[in-house]
Amino acid sequence: ITYASLMGAKVINCSWGGSGGSQVEQDLINAVTQQGSLVVCAAGNDASSGAFFPAGYVNVLSVAATTSTDSKASYSNYGIGVDVAAPGSSVLSTWYSNTYVLLDGTSMASPNTAGVAALVKSANPSFTALQVGERVRVTADNINSINPSYADQLGKGRVNALRALTENP
């Protein structure tokens, strides 16, 4: 994360994580955020509302996974610490041996969101890292009605690239 930020990355995707965080890691997130890098993290695949790091740190855009119908993916973590959701089920991705596979996970949803954040930063180069994250967050489509058991636990909703680029809430 530090290396990416030092090399000028404005959006950093973290499709990994686990339980247990530390002040050292929070300090690292804070430092790269101050340097202008938005850190976007997978919320985890434990179907849990428990803490998951680095997604659980302050100044991170935490991403849950949805299906193609905007339902919470069965495996996706959720909770008040989640900022947004994005498609994470049956996502076509590259794979070793020079091929493609369909994958599931918040590790698929997080890069989707990081891509939207990169578009926002590209269109708004003067935005700080937190302004980019907030634009992605507040322009997400509310999916509470589709997920009544998880209302307000999938962040502001499913990311929407068009709204993030064209609306100024």
Side-chain angles (χ1 to χ4, degrees), residues 69-139:
T69 62
D70 283 341
S71 296
K72 181 188 98 52
S74 61
Y75 52 81
S76 181
N77 286 3
Y78 57 93
I80 60 169
V82 170
D83 293 301
V84 293
S89 295
S90 298
V91 176
L92 188 63
S93 183
T94 56
W95 197 249
Y96 68 94
S97 300
N98 205 25
T99 188
Y100 297 93
V101 295
L102 291 173
L103 298 173
D104 296 332
T106 58
S107 290
M108 297 291 100
S110 185
N112 182 320
T113 301
V116 174
L119 289 170
V120 169
K121 179 63 177 180
S122 179
N124 302 278
S126 65
F127 276 17
T128 66
L130 294 179
Q131 287 173 317
V132 170
E134 187 66 359
R135 174 65 66 88
V136 172
R137 203 175 71 79
V138 301
T139 57

